Amino acid sequence: MPAKRFLLLFSDTGGGHRAGAQAVAQALQHRYGDAVQVTLLDALVYSRKWPFYRFPAWYPHMVRGRAIPWKLGFRLLDRASAVEMATRATYPYVRPALRALFEEHPADVIVSFHALLNRLLGLGVREAPRSIATATVVLDMLSTHALWFGRGLDRYFIPYEKMAGRAMALGIPRERLAPVGMPVRREMVEAARTPQARARKALGLDESLPVVVIVGGGDGMGPMAHVTEALLRRRPQAQIAAIAGRNPLLRRHLHALARSHPLRVEGFTNDMHLWLRAADILVTKAGPNTLAEAFVMGLPTVLYAAIPGQEEGNVRLVLEQDAGVWAPGPERAADAVMVLLRDEELRRAMGRSAGELATPHAADAIARELYNLAITNITRMKGHG
Ligand code: UDP
């Protein structure tokens, strides 16, 4: 039997879409081995259509600070009619790119990990040269934008059941919704089961002193350097690590800080699973994927920022569950870390609450359902043939 082909579309606007796609790719490969062929593609770059292919570079600037134009755009587009209008206006422009995609990457199932792609894919697949099943993995926790629920896809994987109402209000039939949780990369789930001391040793950290990890998503967003500085000024009895992601300017600032303070600085790391396992406290912007990973690790979080609109729901979720602290800005964030460092009992209680939100099996559940979609699609094609 030929391998079933899966094309996973993401884009590097932030680091979360790629991480989600990787989690599902790993789960497909782990469960089905040679029976599947999985391709990951940055769809916005692939399109070569201005301005889309520039989005990964612009994104950190668009959502910076109070991000008023972003917030406005987010709100204006956040309804089914607006999604439909905007997509239909854009569709003729991106249609050739979609055609090329279907030609160059023949797949049984195409999965979108990016809200911007969903309705375009829903329209495009109707004109594809053969039958293709489509799905999206929604990578936002509560404040899910209407763009995620653009119509025309076969399956919508959502993190929590409580999101189903909104999806249906936006026109998605119940039977196409699959509440499965947030997919988390395999190495995270495995690291969560290993002793903390092992991760600390692997990273060259002291095994007995608490560890605070500061991260701002894949692009090192928000006032991360100021948060780090405010914390270091308080001289915490802890090892502090700041992960700058793909933000060279931030990295330089952090290195400058490290000249006069005890601080570990990393750029974009592929060892996030080790850092999160080594940590006792995670200081982060409210990125959905980072939070899903922190939940798997049972790690309390201090949220120093949230992207307006799309990450506000994540803050709500963390607070409702008592899984962390909302402490916007450098001084409040640094104070919150100091409180948690002094109060081990509180830290542990928050960690336990975070663990209750964990969805370590989501990627596997998505993989199984995608495989079934591929089989259904092949049967559908044979029926037509
Ligand atoms: N990440 C990583 N290495 C880094 C920084 C971040 O692998 O150096 C990953 C992180 O583990 C998470 C993702 O990038 O999976 C960030 O996603 P999130 O949704 O939290 O924020 P975004 O960057 O998409 O805004």
Side-chain angles (χ1 to χ4, degrees), residues 248-281:
L249 188 64
L250 170 63
R251 200 170 168 189
R252 277 206 295 282
H253 284 159
L254 292 170
H255 273 302
L257 271 179
R259 280 201 281 279
S260 48
H261 296 277
L263 172 68
R264 256 300 273 280
V265 178
E266 299 287 321
F268 191 90
T269 174
N270 290 321
D271 286 335
M272 208 59 186
H273 56 294
L274 292 178
W275 284 106
L276 294 185
R277 182 65 192 107
D280 296 290
I281 301 168

Side-chain angles (χ1 to χ4, degrees), residues 84-346:
E84 204 54 30
M85 218 163 64
T87 314
R88 286 193 184 269
T90 320
Y91 183 64
Y93 179 60
V94 297
R95 196 178 182 196
L98 274 163
R99 282 212 183 133
L101 182 82
F102 298 142
E103 288 289 322
E104 289 173 23
H105 296 280
D108 300 302
V109 186
I110 300 185
V111 192
S112 158
F113 291 80
H114 202 295
L116 265 188
L117 305 170
N118 288 1
R119 183 61 185 133
L120 290 169
L121 181 61
L123 286 174
V125 76
R126 297 196 306 207
E127 299 187 316
R130 65 197 173 282
S131 171
I132 304 170
T134 52
T136 183
V137 178
V138 174
L139 296 175
D140 266 322
M141 285 168 168
L142 282 186
S143 36
T144 311
H145 197 275
L147 274 170
W148 280 110
F149 297 113
R151 286 181 287 122
L153 306 183
D154 296 310
R155 200 67 84 245
Y156 298 77
F157 296 100
I158 53 177
Y160 300 105
E161 177 62 43
K162 56 181 151 188
M163 202 182 272
R166 169 151 171 79
M168 288 191 286
L170 288 163
I172 307 302
R174 183 69 186 89
E175 64 276 13
R176 296 193 184 191
L177 295 169
V180 285
M182 286 279 293
V184 169
R185 287 170 288 176
R186 198 172 176 77
E187 60 267 28
M188 295 280 171
V189 179
E190 282 168 0
R193 295 194 200 111
T194 61
Q196 189 180 49
R198 194 185 296 172
R200 289 193 178 171
K201 195 162 175 220
L203 294 168
L205 295 168
D206 186 316
E207 284 171 39
S208 52
L209 201 59
V211 174
V212 180
V213 171
I214 309 171
V215 65
D219 293 324
M221 279 193 264
M224 233 190 91
H226 296 297
V227 171
T228 309
E229 190 182 4
L231 180 58
L232 290 170
R233 251 193 281 117
R234 286 161 173 78
R235 301 186 181 282
Q237 289 299 304
Q239 306 171 82
I240 313 296
I243 299 175
R246 286 177 304 240
N247 185 336
L249 188 64
L250 170 63
R251 200 170 168 189
R252 277 206 295 282
H253 284 159
L254 292 170
H255 273 302
L257 271 179
R259 280 201 281 279
S260 48
H261 296 277
L263 172 68
R264 256 300 273 280
V265 178
E266 299 287 321
F268 191 90
T269 174
N270 290 321
D271 286 335
M272 208 59 186
H273 56 294
L274 292 178
W275 284 106
L276 294 185
R277 182 65 192 107
D280 296 290
I281 301 168
L282 176 67
V283 185
T284 179
K285 80 169 178 84
N289 296 278
T290 304
L291 285 175
E293 292 160 3
F295 297 159
V296 164
M297 299 287 175
L299 193 54
T301 47
V302 171
L303 305 175
Y304 70 78
I307 295 181
Q310 79 221 45
E311 289 184 350
E312 287 161 7
N314 305 342
V315 176
R316 253 188 355 258
L317 183 71
V318 167
L319 294 184
E320 274 168 16
Q321 182 74 19
D322 277 333
V325 186
W326 171 235
E331 302 304 325
R332 283 179 70 180
D335 285 340
V337 174
M338 295 305 283
V339 168
L340 283 176
L341 276 174
R342 274 187 230 113
D343 192 341
E344 190 175 343
E345 196 36 55
L346 178 62

